[in-house]
Amino acid sequence: MKRSLLLILVTFVYSILYAQNGKISGKVTNSSIEPLAGVSITIEGQTGGVRTDIEGRFSLSANPAKKYNLTFSSVGYAPKTIYDVTVAGNEVQTIDVVLADASKALETVVVQAVRTNARRETTASLLNFQKNNAGVASVLAADFIRRTPDRNTGEVLKRVSGASIQDNKFVIVRGLSDRYNAAFINNAQLPSSEPDKKVFSFDVIPSVLVDNIVISKTATPDITGEFAGGLVQIQTKDVPSKDVFSVGFSIGYNTVSTFKDFTSNERNSTDWIGFDDGTRKLPASFPSNRQRYTVKNDIDKAALSQSFNGDVYKEKSSKAAPNQSYNLTWGKASKLKNGATIGTIVSLIYRNTKAVYSDAERNRYDFERANTDKDYIFKYKEIQNIYTVNWGGVANFTYIQGNHKISFKNLFNRNFEDKYVTRSGTNLNNNSSVLFNSSFLNQRSLYSTQLEGVHQLTTTGIKFTWNLNGATNYKTQPDYRVVDYRRPITLTSNPYVINDDETRRFFSTLQDYSGGFNASLLVPFNLFQQKQTFKIGGSTLVRARNFEARNFQYAGSEASRTLPVDQAFNTSNIGVDRLLINEVTQNTDKYFAVSVLDGMYGMFDTRIGENLRAIFGARLEFFEQFLRSKDLGNENVIVNTEKWDVLPSVNLTYSFNVKNQLRASGALTVARPEFREIAPFAFYDYDAIYGVSGNTDLKRTLIYNADIRYEYYPKAGEAISLGIFYKNFHDPIEFIMNPGSNADRQNYEYRNAKKATSYGAELEIRKNINSDFSVFTNLTYLFSEVTFNNLSAGGKEETASRPLQGQSPYLVNVGLQYNNDKSGLSGSLLYNRVGPRLYLVGSPPPGAGFYDVYDVPRDLVDLQVTKKILKTKGELRLTIADILNQPIGQYDNLTSRESYKAGAGDRFTNRYTPGTTITLAFTYNFLQ
């Protein structure tokens, strides 16, 4: 089958090949990074020229044997000349140009353009966006992303100043947990991808599909007011600057996984494409709800219990194959007879990995067992076997004619992760030796679609933009199987017996739908002989979620519970006097929820004199949230919230000169509860070994934000910035331990604290050493304090010195990058460290008696080297990721949050070694 697909692919490739002329293309923007339509581009020594379209894009034919000097000019802007632009062969040389505003007396302006290299001009556009953005932002462009070893957007985001990644997929900006961050793709908000968190899982978007990422850290009225850490805006590839048809593949070796023994239950025939074939579904003959099953007699229950597939518990051993990935990209920009352009880009990617962590451990201690790791509640060793399939695609189509642009953008991703865990150890709390295994399959599908338009209505620059969007997020956990065997520690000759309370099968389905519309009108005007703009707009986002779960236990005679796991659940051991299914689904295990968020805003972008820029205005948001469920007594649970919020903001930028500027901003934002957080649904996570419950009484959080930042731009492509920020939270939502938890059953829930403060400083440096080498570093220091009502102390208000849940005290990124166009060689050496991050908020005495749990800091070093080959059509890429291979884990923090200190009493509760991954990738572009 693979050979046939390869033959078809090769035939298709050569069928679309055609000769290309050399081209020079790019995009022209103003100092506010707004595209400039109608800019004249002329070539020195030639007559005529071209003009940019509504997107500020242009394209010129070029002779590979020549050097070109291009002049860009437009009324109201200082002209710029780019010298010595060359095209190699039939390539397309891409240049992004920023034009500065001319001085007030346009008729007397004489501008001498600086001699600018084309590649440096394109590199500088990245920092020009950051410099001229309305608010404080960090930007990652496609060329930077390509020079990192990061496979998905989640991994890329850890390179951003002030950002870190939790579980390799959840972004934390400025130390604020996932709930205080928002995610947009192509101007449309993404729904929460997880059932238990208000969070988007960025690992579902492959990095090769990304054009750029903008992380806004301060609010402006034209973006959602529902964030405090960062607003992550992902733009997928749009109109290609040159025709492309590329295929690529990679193979990776992990030092702790590849070619090691890999154990799992039997694979299904369609697992390799990321879909269960139906084997794991709840039997069709099983009653549709718990009530219809519990009224049946034992004989009928036995028959229905036998309908569950018992063969799925059988283990299968294999060797972990190397990591594999395949990608295909096709893009074309076609000129029509009427002068219009149609741009198309289609990209597909597929990944398959097997990971084995054979040294994992799970431990638990409490206050009574302090200062030693020998006196514990339980101590387990684990072998984790994780099979992952991830595939997805982008299909974007754009039509541009004159001053109008319409785009249809689509993204789909499928993520299939099957985790098989074997666990063994002792539990001193109940005097048991434990043998445990679980099979946990997580299937996620995300589809996002948008139809959007940009229309320049007048020659004065009045612009109308709109976006119609929809998204579906579908997640299933079919047949989550848990088997728990126990025997007394001292009775080593006794057989292990199935613990019927903890041996379960769990099925759940989450369907999340969203649809929205947003539009804005930008009106430029002149005041005090300066260009000003007024922007007005509005948006609507409707979300609906349906969640349903079924939960089952196995119970029976002791004799039937002593068989090994591959025999215990066979049909021969299921019956009235043997094992039977008991359904323990609760009334709370399903809910339906819907929310509507309406927003409208007005915003001025004004220049006051030659040096001061002020962006100010207000956003008005109306939020409605409805949830319906039942409590344990089968009574209806209704949560119905309506709330208006007026969210003003101001961003000031004072430019001392073209290289130095000072920013100051202030804004009011909010963080609203997610559906799961207000649902009464309680779920026990056997993998993490704790339970999670919602809270119907949660209130939204109001956040006051303030920022000051100094920025210095010494040369094109270089920047130094230093900033401080402060945030004050009213009613912050935290994920904390229920004080009623006990040694064997920890439970966490969502609750409002009274208030919290967070402040910190950020330093970012980008420097070109010479024409080939550049370095960057960003450092962030953070501090926070929380005031809460201590439920264990009669509700007394207390202030804790601990940080907000999810916050680190510091973050460090350092990188050295090399790029030589002549040799086609590039590379990067990257370092990342995240300080000890508060992972779980404990419950000290007089509560449950457990410490706070922190992520252990680790040093992450990555190396990547890339070489252009085969006349630059091919590219080889060698990546060595996580060179130091330090353990990943969490620990009880008995001392301070500054570091893990084993000798002082800090103890690991969870730990494993991920291994170093060495990957070799090859990409070939047939149309280069």
Side-chain angles (χ1 to χ4, degrees), residues 142 190 316 386 488 536 566 600 609 652:
L190 286 165
K316 180 180 179 179
I386 306 171
I536 188 171
D566 60 345
M600 60 190 74
L652 303 174

Side-chain angles (χ1 to χ4, degrees), residues 179-184 189 198 223-231 541 597 619 621 623 647 668-674 703:
R179 70 170 45 267
Y180 297 112
N181 304 295
F184 277 66
Q189 187 164 358
K198 184 182 181 182
I223 60 178
T224 179
E226 198 170 2
F227 79 99
L231 175 65
L541 178 65
L597 176 61
R619 184 176 184 89
E621 292 188 347
F623 181 68
L647 307 173
L668 183 63
T669 60
V670 295
R672 301 182 177 99
E674 178 59 27
I703 308 132

Side-chain angles (χ1 to χ4, degrees), residues 677-696:
E677 296 167 348
I678 61 171
F681 171 58
F683 172 72
Y684 191 81
D685 188 335
Y686 286 91
D687 185 44
I689 319 181
Y690 59 73
V692 181
S693 300
N695 180 358
T696 58

Side-chain angles (χ1 to χ4, degrees), residues 77 80 176 190 255 270 280 300 408 461 508 590 615 646:
Y77 295 92
K80 176 179 282 190
L176 297 175
L190 286 165
T255 56
T270 56
R280 301 178 179 92
D300 291 337
F408 180 46
S508 72
K590 62 183 299 185
I615 297 98
V646 179

Side-chain angles (χ1 to χ4, degrees), residues 470-504:
T472 63
N473 179 33
Y474 185 73
K475 180 171 181 174
T476 61
Q477 296 172 335
D479 206 2
Y480 177 14
R481 298 183 295 276
V482 175
V483 183
D484 186 272
Y485 284 89
R486 303 202 176 195
R487 74 179 179 194
I489 295 174
T490 56
L491 302 179
T492 56
S493 61
N494 283 21
Y496 282 93
V497 179
I498 289 176
N499 176 5
D500 51 13
D501 186 51
E502 304 294 352
T503 297
R504 304 196 176 205

